[in-house]
Amino acid sequence: MSSNKKYWKSVEELENSSIVEALRNNEFVEEIPTEEFLGNADALASSGTSRRDFLKYVGFSTAAVTLAACEGPVHKSIPYVLQPEQIIPGVADYYATTVFDGFDFANLLVKTREGRPIKIENNTIAGANFSANARIHASILGLYDSNRLKGPLKDGKKTSWATVDLEIKSSLADAKAKGGQVVLLTNTLASPSTERLIAEFIAKNPNAKHVVYDAVSSSDALDAFETVYGERVLADYDFSKASLIVSVGADFLGDWQGGGYDAGYAKGRIPQNGKMSRHFQFESNMTLSGAAADKRVPMTTADQKQALVQIYNIIVGASVPVSLDAKFKAEVVKAAQQLKAAGSKGILVSGIEDKNAQLLVLAINQALASEAFSTAGTRQIRKGSNAVVAQLIKDMNAGSVHTLIMSGVNPVYTLADSASFVSGLKKVKKSVAFSLREDETAAISNIAAAAPHYLESWGDVVITKGTYSLTQPTIRPIFDTKQFQDVLLSLNGIPGKFYDYLKANSAAIIAGTTWNKVLHDGVFVIGSTALAGGSFDFAGAANVLSKSKPASGLELVLYTKTGMGDGQHANNPWLQEFPDPITRVSWDNYITVSNADAQKYNLSNRIVANGGLNGSYATITTADGKKIENVPVIVQPGQAVGTVGFAVGYGRKEGLKEEMQVGLNAYALYTNFNSVQSITIAAANGEHEFACVQGQKTLMGRGDIIKETTLDVFNKENAEHWNPQPMVSLDHQEVKATTVDLWESFDRTTGHHFNLSIDLNACTGCGACVIACHAENNVPVVGKAEVRRSRDMHWLRIDRYYSSESTFEGDNERKENIAGLSSSLSTFNEMEKAGDNPQVAFQPVMCQHCNHAPCETVCPVAATSHGREGQNHMAYNRCVGTRYCANNCPYKVRRFNWFLYNKNSEFDYHMNDDLGRMVLNPDVNVRSRGVMEKCSMCIQMTQATKLKAKNEGRPVRDGEFQTACSSACSSGAMIFGDVNDKESKVAKLAADERSYHLLEHVGTKPNVVYHVKVRNT
């Protein structure tokens, strides 16, 4: 049967905390200061004002505020890339481009309005294989960041680009005369034109060299691949070709090897013809990949290394000695045997930062002849070398580096041994940092060269071998910035702009097509051949790896959070407020510990009276004596006992608004570029206040929120068994809830009728849809304090549910077998404990656009009403803020504007900033205080689609209708369309036997359709 497990959103909910129960039944978690709104209470009590008069007066004042706010928030104009006569006011233009910032990459379409880039979309043309993640969707806000460098600085003071050019040329000449080193320190560029420019620079300056440095290293995997295949690149993987996936410490649905694997993975996870892929995950931290796995085994990195050797033994028939606990060994052997049986349909990946471990990955996939493992379209990313970077720091401190030119890096912040780099930088005669903002490195460099945003830049990118992508500007530079490449051209004595150099250099690469064609498409597919693997002593690597020793004390595992990544977007309020998919905490980083370790070290979390989550502080001390004090603690179900997780990317101070200076810098513990460190922890005094949304907006405690079943049951039983329809009593007879109707419906078969389908099997919880919704619909940022008060404004949330491995039926049997008082106490105590390794399900929830919407019947001013096309509308000018609709909504998807977030210095984010407001979508109203808002199913997008088809004299094609969330979803979990078009994909999904509605027994008849989650256990 489906939904026979107990689902819980927080440990407190599982334990039936009285606070959780009180919060569930209390619409307002804090007392409402009515005196601020209604004036003198005594005078109000003695007045004869009726409720109707009160609503009338409030309505008038709200309308007056709305009229005053009708003036558009955008006042400044920005230069166009195209001449104004080529732009039709009110009609969006789209430009194809590609982003690669050294960490994230994607093929994009950039939506512009009147010359303003306002939204990131995915480029879906053939060959554009990489979609935008949450960070890339949010990166458009970085274009309008008022903290960007406005022009070049010399010793902290404004200067001109002519002076910068002269200073660098003079320093290069001095270095050549004195025999000093010249170093270009950059992130991985993956740009043929830029790399050619650098080669020409080095040819002109023989004392120069190029050092590649990535904040998050993949050096061991690069070294292993180069050893076997002869090229320093990363293998690529196509998970859609795998029937069995085994991951040992690789969060491939997160940032492992740059990410972008979710689309291929999701294709195999949707049950078709009775089959779906099976996924084993062995890991320390609870990750997106672990959350999606059919079988997840939490274990330390030391145990993961032994597990990898055990898998190697079984796959290739070796007998390398393995030291692995029996409880783990059985699971590892089971996974290895199934992997061997899968053969070419199996794949193994690993994120262990050890060259020997990565060599075994290559050996195993070679032995399997895995179809999902590719040496043809290798990834040209994260090419930095740990050894070369370490040598550079030694050279700097030895005084042998005369001139250091940096671009796309911030080593003062990201290096664990930052002090050594800073001391070496002081010995460099001339240091130049190309940067978007005056960050930690630019602030102490001789010259801070203001770099343009990627949406203002020209460039080319080879993300995977065989594909060539162009980066084009969508707007002229807003500030006095200059590309690193343009400065290199000047230093090389080459006249012209980088655009001309780029176009000329691309001619040989794009032979057979035209520059304009590639610029229009954004990507050109060249094709590549697979590399032939050489011979290597893999058995020797296995023997070395098997001798690995576990960490003394606890094992610290550093990782990158879905929202913040490597930290270069720390000044982005959309990402700061984005709740982490697993912990559901925003505006913070923290250490995650298991429940067992929390009890051992006296660490805890608790939900307080106002619904906020509080947690202990801890002090971390590494084996080499590094210490970070007062680190907040999250007790994380599924965290491997003996391990501690800690996200990098936080703790930045320079070049950021004060509100964005949050968290602690975990890079300080990234010693020797190893994400696994031996530490000790100790409880510290005080209690940290988290902005955690997980305990908020509970769906009234009903039990049919998540429906799930197993593949075996799905194949053997009828849908009535694993997707039962809710039953209600009618005239003392049980009938299906969907057949009982208190409403008088009208005919919806004519015209369009929109539905949104959400497949729980395909949803990975990545959050790209959440940020895309923010950008499209002008959703405000409210800050940590307001999020903590349950006042976040996200129109779309992704609920994360844990499920106990025991079923309700199993719990009942256990209770019935209790004998005596002592047995009763111990048994109930055990049953209330959170699972050490719970299963996880993600569920995107937005306004369900109910055909029988309970919000509509209680609105006293008809501010919310239903349209013939299935959308639940909001007339903001009518709304008087009674919040009856929110109280009557069983899905808790309505948001109330407690404050005016636009042009309000109390909320100093992009909407309080003239430049930041440039990102606002002019097709969507900016809401004011006192107004209720929620998902509109992107009605502005559906209207634009209809108008386009009408102007072209044709019907709308299937797939044209989109919402912000559906177009951002790279895994295919969200499909939007017209169910009245019976041939449309969404109509077929709505009629599928896996489809169901949220809280279907309530009778709201939503237009959002979910699909039963199927686990291949």
Side-chain angles (χ1 to χ4, degrees):
M1 292 291 290
S2 66
S3 299
N4 58 358
K5 297 181 179 179
K6 183 172 184 178
Y7 290 95
W8 36 282
K9 296 172 77 176
S10 63
V11 173
E12 289 75 12
E13 183 180 341
L14 179 71
E15 295 174 349
N16 295 321
S17 165
S18 60
I19 288 179
V20 172
E21 186 63 29
L23 292 170
R24 181 180 291 145
N25 297 315
N26 186 6
E27 181 184 0
F28 307 114
V29 296
E30 291 185 343
E31 184 179 353
I32 300 174
T34 53
E35 65 279 359
E36 293 183 16
F37 306 108
L38 303 180
N40 187 286
D42 295 333
L44 185 67
S46 61
S47 71
T49 304
S50 69
R51 176 177 176 276
R52 180 174 297 179
D53 288 336
F54 170 74
L55 290 175
K56 180 175 66 177
Y57 297 141
V58 172
F60 173 79
S61 60
T62 306
V65 171
T66 305
L67 287 172
C70 281
E71 183 183 357
V74 177
H75 299 292
K76 292 187 177 180
S77 60
I78 294 178
Y80 292 113
V81 172
L82 301 174
Q83 294 299 313
E85 58 266 21
Q86 295 176 262
I87 293 177
I88 303 173
V91 177
D93 291 305
Y94 292 84
Y95 298 89
T97 191
T98 300
V99 58
F100 178 56
D101 59 14
F103 190 75
D104 293 313
F105 47 85
N107 304 111
L108 310 175
L109 292 178
V110 181
K111 179 182 179 182
T112 67
R113 280 293 303 270
E114 290 75 54
R116 270 185 310 126
I118 62 170
K119 178 84 170 21
I120 297 295
E121 302 282 1
N122 291 322
N123 190 347
T124 56
I125 198 170
N129 299 323
F130 298 103
S131 300
N133 58 22
R135 294 186 294 270
I136 292 176
H137 277 287
S139 66
I140 196 163
L141 193 56
L143 174 66
Y144 305 110
D145 185 352
S146 59
N147 282 61
R148 284 178 56 188
L149 275 170
K150 310 300 190 296
L153 303 176
K154 179 186 175 185
D155 298 325
K157 297 180 181 178
K158 293 181 181 179
T159 189
S160 66
W161 282 108
T163 302
V164 170
D165 194 56
L166 187 64
E167 288 275 337
I168 297 176
K169 287 179 177 177
S170 174
S171 183
L172 292 176
D174 189 47
K176 187 177 289 187
K178 295 179 179 177
Q181 278 189 37
V182 175
V183 177
L184 299 180
L185 178 63
T186 72
N187 57 358
T188 299
L189 297 167
S191 168
S193 297
T194 306
E195 287 168 357
R196 181 180 173 184
L197 258 180
I198 290 174
E200 291 170 351
F201 176 83
I202 293 173
K204 187 175 181 179
N205 301 276
N207 57 328
K209 66 178 180 179
H210 180 208
V211 176
V212 178
Y213 164 59
D214 297 313
V216 178
S217 174
S218 294
S219 188
D220 291 307
L222 292 163
D223 292 342
F225 194 90
E226 186 177 24
T227 299
V228 178
Y229 292 95
E231 286 191 22
R232 190 175 172 77
V233 290
L234 295 172
D236 200 18
Y237 299 87
D238 185 351
F239 289 95
S240 68
K241 296 179 179 179
S243 63
L244 189 81
I245 301 163
V246 177
S247 170
V248 183
D251 183 17
F252 58 86
L253 295 179
D255 294 329
W256 177 76
Q257 291 199 178
Y261 294 113
D262 48 347
Y265 175 81
K267 288 179 183 177
R269 298 296 291 170
I270 298 174
Q272 294 177 333
N273 301 320
K275 295 181 180 180
M276 61 181 284
S277 64
R278 190 148 195 245
H279 175 192
F280 287 88
Q281 185 82 11
F282 302 93
E283 63 181 12
S284 304
N285 301 335
M286 175 70 83
T287 66
L288 291 181
S289 301
D294 296 303
K295 182 63 180 180
R296 178 183 180 273
V297 181
M299 56 170 61
T300 64
T301 305
D303 285 331
Q304 291 171 34
K305 291 179 179 180
Q306 299 296 325
L308 195 56
V309 176
Q310 180 70 61
I311 295 171
Y312 171 80
N313 283 343
I314 292 174
I315 298 298
V316 305
S319 56
V320 179
V322 173
S323 174
L324 194 60
D325 193 288
K327 65 181 179 181
F328 295 137
K329 192 167 185 177
E331 296 294 344
V332 172
V333 169
K334 184 192 301 181
Q337 289 173 342
Q338 293 186 26
L339 185 62
K340 187 173 185 179
S344 64
K345 293 295 182 182
I347 186 67
L348 179 134
V349 293
S350 178
I352 299 173
E353 292 175 7
D354 184 295
K355 182 179 177 181
N356 292 309
Q358 294 301 323
L359 285 168
L360 293 192
V361 172
L362 300 178
I364 290 168
N365 288 319
Q366 277 186 4
L368 293 170
S370 173
E371 296 176 17
F373 174 79
S374 173
T375 62
T378 51
R379 294 197 169 196
Q380 312 290 305
I381 61 168
R382 299 194 186 175
K383 290 190 174 183
S385 169
N386 297 345
V388 174
V389 173
Q391 185 60 49
L392 170 63
I393 296 173
K394 289 181 182 178
D395 292 346
M396 289 168 61
N397 280 283
S400 57
V401 177
H402 182 284
T403 304
L404 178 65
I405 303 175
M406 297 170 282
S407 175
V409 294
N410 186 8
V412 174
Y413 165 66
T414 57
L415 278 173
D417 195 7
S418 176
S420 292
F421 185 87
V422 171
S423 65
L425 194 63
K426 292 177 180 177
K427 297 177 182 179
V428 173
K429 297 292 189 295
K430 182 69 67 178
S431 56
V432 182
F434 284 82
S435 177
L436 274 172
R437 56 183 55 82
E438 195 174 4
D439 57 26
E440 290 79 1
T441 301
I444 62 172
S445 297
N446 300 134
I447 295 174
H453 192 270
Y454 75 88
L455 293 174
E456 303 168 311
S457 307
W458 284 103
D460 57 358
V461 182
V462 175
I463 299 172
T464 56
K465 191 174 183 180
T467 62
Y468 180 75
S469 305
L470 289 177
T471 299
Q472 67 168 315
T474 58
I475 190 172
R476 285 179 182 169
I478 299 173
F479 302 118
D480 184 18
T481 57
K482 185 173 284 191
Q483 282 188 241
F484 171 60
Q485 292 89 341
D486 278 314
V487 174
L488 276 181
L489 280 172
S490 176
L491 298 178
N492 291 348
I494 302 174
K497 295 287 187 181
F498 181 56
Y499 165 79
D500 304 307
Y501 184 92
L502 173 69
K503 188 175 180 180
N505 189 59
S506 69
I509 301 173
I510 62 174
T513 186
T514 64
W515 166 264
N516 286 342
K517 170 68 172 170
V518 178
L519 192 63
H520 173 272
D521 294 348
V523 64
F524 175 65
V525 179
I526 305 165
S528 61
T529 56
L531 298 171
S535 58
F536 185 78
D537 180 18
F538 292 117
N543 274 294
V544 174
L545 192 66
S546 69
K547 295 179 174 64
S548 300
K549 301 295 181 184
S552 58
L554 289 171
E555 193 178 86
L556 175 70
V557 182
L558 300 174
Y559 68 100
T560 56
K561 282 180 72 171
T562 304
M564 201 48 59
D566 64 350
Q568 58 183 294
H569 299 289
N571 205 46
N572 193 309
W574 286 349
L575 293 175
Q576 289 285 9
E577 192 145 300
F578 172 72
D580 181 77
I582 301 295
T583 64
R584 310 295 290 136
V585 173
S586 61
W587 293 100
D588 257 319
N589 68 336
Y590 35 77
I591 59 171
T592 54
V593 300
S594 66
N595 186 54
D597 287 330
Q599 293 180 2
K600 181 178 179 181
Y601 294 101
N602 195 29
L603 305 170
S604 64
N605 288 146
R606 68 188 184 94
I607 293 181
V608 294
N610 70 348
L613 178 71
N614 287 9
S616 304
Y617 283 114
T619 297
I620 297 176
T621 307
T622 64
D624 57 359
K626 289 183 179 179
K627 182 183 289 188
I628 299 183
E629 297 180 338
N630 294 330
V631 185
V633 175
I634 288 287
V635 181
Q636 176 62 56
Q639 183 78 30
V641 176
T643 69
V644 173
F646 197 12
V648 299
Y650 288 80
R652 291 189 56 187
K653 303 295 182 185
E654 299 294 332
L656 272 65
K657 286 188 175 183
E658 184 179 353
E659 290 81 1
M660 259 64 83
Q661 297 175 21
V662 298
L664 299 163
N665 186 5
Y667 278 118
L669 307 180
Y670 193 28
T671 305
N672 297 324
F673 299 98
N674 191 343
S675 62
V676 179
Q677 301 288 332
S678 178
I679 64 164
T680 59
I681 63 172
N685 295 327
E687 196 171 51
H688 186 78
E689 295 185 347
F690 290 103
C692 179
V693 302
Q694 188 57 35
Q696 303 168 3
K697 304 173 183 68
T698 302
L699 298 188
M700 309 304 289
R702 276 117 177 193
D704 57 349
I705 300 165
I706 295 280
K707 284 190 177 184
E708 71 166 34
T709 188
T710 65
L711 184 62
D712 185 57
V713 173
F714 176 78
N715 287 333
K716 292 179 179 178
E717 304 288 348
N718 293 327
E720 290 80 8
H721 180 79
W722 46 263
N723 186 13
Q725 297 299 307
M727 308 295 284
V728 296
S729 176
L730 178 66
D731 297 332
H732 306 291
Q733 297 290 326
E734 272 204 341
V735 298
K736 290 183 179 179
T738 52
T739 63
V740 180
D741 200 347
L742 299 178
W743 293 59
E744 187 174 324
S745 298
F746 57 85
D747 182 20
R748 301 182 185 276
T749 59
T750 57
H752 301 295
H753 188 184
F754 296 115
N755 267 204
L756 176 64
S757 169
I758 302 176
D759 196 321
L760 300 183
N761 264 49
C763 180
T764 63
C766 72
C769 55
V770 176
I771 301 298
C773 177
H774 251 291
E776 175 67 28
N777 295 298
N778 301 335
V779 177
V781 173
V782 301
K784 180 177 179 178
E786 295 304 304
V787 172
R788 182 174 165 81
R789 292 187 176 100
S790 187
R791 294 176 180 173
D792 68 287
M793 296 300 293
H794 293 107
W795 282 13
L796 162 63
R797 69 176 190 267
I798 303 179
D799 285 336
R800 183 267 299 128
Y801 289 96
Y802 297 132
S803 58
S804 304
E805 292 188 316
S806 57
T807 65
F808 280 128
E809 293 173 2
D811 288 346
N812 291 334
E813 290 176 8
R814 192 171 181 186
K815 285 188 290 183
E816 289 170 2
N817 293 328
I818 292 175
L821 178 62
S822 59
S823 174
S824 171
L825 294 175
S826 60
T827 301
F828 278 117
N829 186 47
E830 289 175 7
M831 290 173 68
E832 287 180 358
K833 288 183 180 176
D836 291 330
N837 184 28
Q839 290 183 331
V840 184
F842 295 109
Q843 185 175 59
V845 180
M846 66 294 290
C847 174
Q848 302 293 291
H849 295 270
C850 310
N851 289 320
H852 296 171
C855 56
E856 296 169 10
T857 55
V858 295
C859 181
V861 290
T864 182
S865 58
H866 215 69
R868 291 198 66 92
E869 295 180 339
Q871 294 149 319
N872 176 263
H873 300 316
M874 276 298 305
Y876 299 124
N877 280 7
R878 294 185 65 89
C879 180
V880 297
T882 62
R883 286 158 290 177
Y884 296 161
C885 56
N887 198 42
N888 216 39
C889 174
Y891 308 105
K892 300 305 167 195
V893 289
R894 287 177 166 267
R895 305 288 177 262
F896 181 68
N897 283 267
W898 289 91
F899 300 96
L900 178 66
Y901 301 110
N902 176 40
K903 297 184 185 177
N904 188 341
S905 59
E906 293 296 318
F907 300 92
D908 191 15
Y909 309 109
H910 66 292
M911 282 192 176
N912 185 48
D913 188 288
D914 285 339
L915 186 62
R917 285 195 294 273
M918 293 293 175
V919 82
L920 296 179
N921 184 358
D923 293 332
V924 179
N925 189 25
V926 177
R927 284 76 64 186
S928 185
R929 178 177 183 169
V931 169
M932 186 66 68
E933 62 181 74
K934 51 91 198 174
C935 161
S936 67
M937 210 173 259
C938 290
I939 189 170
Q940 71 279 2
M941 294 179 69
T942 56
Q943 289 297 103
T945 302
K946 287 189 290 184
L947 287 172
K948 179 183 178 184
K950 184 178 180 180
N951 288 337
E952 295 176 3
R954 59 171 178 82
V956 179
R957 293 183 287 265
D958 185 32
E960 275 194 282
F961 283 123
Q962 292 287 353
T963 58
C965 55
S966 67
S967 63
C969 183
S970 57
S971 67
M974 292 183 173
I975 302 295
F976 180 75
D978 180 7
V979 289
N980 282 346
D981 176 5
K982 299 307 177 185
E983 297 302 313
S984 67
K985 189 172 182 180
V986 74
K988 294 174 181 177
L989 288 170
D992 188 88
E993 60 181 1
R994 281 205 299 136
S995 68
Y996 74 97
H997 293 108
L998 204 57
L999 305 182
E1000 198 157 23
H1001 65 275
V1002 179
T1004 55
K1005 297 189 182 299
N1007 282 313
V1008 178
V1009 180
Y1010 292 88
H1011 284 75
V1012 173
K1013 186 173 182 67
V1014 181
R1015 297 185 190 271
N1016 192 358
T1017 55

